[in-house]
Amino acid sequence: MDGGLVRVHDLAGRPRGLGVVADHDGTVLTSHETVDGLPRIVLRTATGDRSCVVTADAVTPLPERNLALVRTEGLGVDPVPLTTRERVETGAYVRIVAGCRREARVLGATEVTYTATDRVHRFGDVLELAIGTAGRDALRLGGGAAGGPVLDITTGAVVAVVGTALRSGQRDSGFAMSLRPAADGPLAGLLARNAATVPAYGADLNLAGVLELTATSLGQDGPPGVPDGCPGPAGVEPVERRATVRDLAAFAHGPAPVLALVGPPGSGRTTQLAALAARRGGGAEPAPTLWLRGADLHGDDTSLADAARRALDRAARIVSAAGPGPAPLAGLTPG
């Protein structure tokens, strides 16, 4: 739970709430109420060994969603994955930081009001959380939980951000702002960067997660040297076949669903395909490539999707064994 967590204070050291680092640029995602009206903001890592002081110019306020994005430097905290799902199901269990790590249950969506320094905002579709009495106390205004992440208990992805200044009649429960949908603007940009660079799995499987799984599969099942630029035997660099590279590039950007690369044994077909996989996995817009052989197909397979799932499941086990990583590939439908 402490991974990516940041504590937000005012310049006098008074706690305002929490946030999480959401990209490799050090952008902190928090609630608007934690930074509202502050000319200078102090952010500290959960361990307290690093801190950063920023001015209000570093804040992108999103009061219409009770969210804020804060640009930071030097915190040295790895980002956490953000959800890719449009909705969080009623009854789902989540984890929050409310005085300590606590478990809560999503009761559903409701309407609330948020009073910022400039005006009153009204929101619909805000998550209502059921939690024990001690947790409810921590979720009240000034309890220190504002801006904290609401984590899916299975995938570990942030699905919402706690808001303690949210009100809905006389209900004695907690509330959190969903991250999606976000069609455009700064939040959408952050969600896109996160999905492309911070792996998430299971129901929150994102592009970065797919890239990690396919790269692991390629390293496990593909020819030697793929991650290192595909050298030939004994470290000899392969001769570039410009016509082949051109045809492969046309296929990658064209409408054709299938490309046949033919040639006698030893003609370099595997080397060219490995080079294509390396090119697709690099660059500014990486794309996943799954390496399948004829031996990967089973007689009772109904499509390539069956072989693809087996390959990705093997990769998921490898990544999981290396540390915190993939949940089961729930909802994954290889194409």
Side-chain angles (χ1 to χ4, degrees):
M1 175 70 85
D2 288 343
L5 192 67
V6 172
R7 302 188 183 279
V8 183
H9 300 258
D10 64 16
L11 200 57
R14 292 182 291 262
R16 296 276 298 201
L18 305 168
V20 288
V21 176
D23 64 16
H24 292 283
D25 296 328
T27 304
V28 170
L29 171 67
T30 185
S31 65
H32 182 264
E33 64 193 81
T34 65
V35 298
D36 189 21
L38 293 182
R40 295 172 72 85
I41 305 158
V42 181
L43 301 106
R44 294 191 176 95
T45 59
T47 56
D49 57 343
R50 293 193 181 188
S51 63
C52 174
V53 180
V54 302
T55 64
D57 293 340
V59 177
T60 301
L62 304 171
E64 69 281 0
R65 300 192 65 147
N66 189 25
L67 296 174
L69 313 181
V70 185
R71 300 188 303 276
T72 70
E73 293 182 0
L75 291 178
V77 176
D78 291 331
V80 298
L82 307 179
T83 187
T84 60
R85 286 170 286 167
E86 294 297 315
R87 301 185 65 84
V88 181
E89 293 185 0
T90 298
Y93 283 92
V94 294
R95 288 195 177 98
I96 63 173
V97 180
C100 61
R101 299 177 183 86
R102 301 181 190 275
E103 192 170 290
R105 188 166 62 89
V106 177
L107 295 178
T110 188
E111 295 184 356
V112 301
T113 60
Y114 164 54
T115 304
T117 55
D118 60 341
R119 51 166 289 200
V120 175
H121 301 268
R122 289 179 172 81
F123 311 125
D125 207 27
V126 171
L127 296 185
E128 185 174 2
L129 306 176
I131 192 170
T133 302
R136 285 199 303 271
D137 290 341
L139 288 178
R140 291 196 173 98
L141 188 62
V150 179
L151 303 177
D152 183 275
I153 203 166
T154 301
T155 69
V158 179
V159 299
V161 171
V162 171
T164 62
L166 305 178
R167 296 290 176 264
S168 179
Q170 300 299 317
R171 287 190 228 180
D172 192 17
S173 55
F175 301 102
M177 301 299 301
S178 299
L179 301 183
R180 295 179 179 270
D184 52 28
L187 179 60
L190 178 66
L191 292 172
R193 291 196 304 276
N194 183 274
T197 59
V198 185
Y201 304 94
D204 286 305
L205 183 69
N206 58 12
L207 174 59
V210 172
L211 287 170
E212 184 168 57
L213 292 176
T214 53
T216 300
S217 176
L218 190 59
Q220 181 75 10
D221 302 327
V226 173
D228 300 322
C230 310
V236 177
E237 291 296 326
V239 176
E240 182 180 66
R241 293 171 171 81
R242 294 184 180 179
T244 303
V245 172
R246 183 179 62 249
D247 291 342
L248 290 174
F251 167 67
H253 297 91
V258 177
L259 173 68
L261 183 61
V262 299
S267 62
R269 293 169 299 169
T270 300
T271 300
Q272 291 301 317
L273 289 174
L276 172 64
R279 288 194 299 271
R280 282 173 55 84
E285 297 182 358
T289 302
L290 184 64
W291 190 279
L292 294 177
R293 304 159 297 176
D296 293 317
L297 301 177
H298 295 177
D300 57 352
D301 286 346
T302 58
S303 71
L304 283 175
D306 295 328
R309 175 175 286 278
R310 286 192 296 271
L312 292 173
D313 281 338
R314 287 197 302 271
R317 288 193 293 271
I318 293 170
V319 176
S320 293
L329 299 178
L332 175 62
T333 304

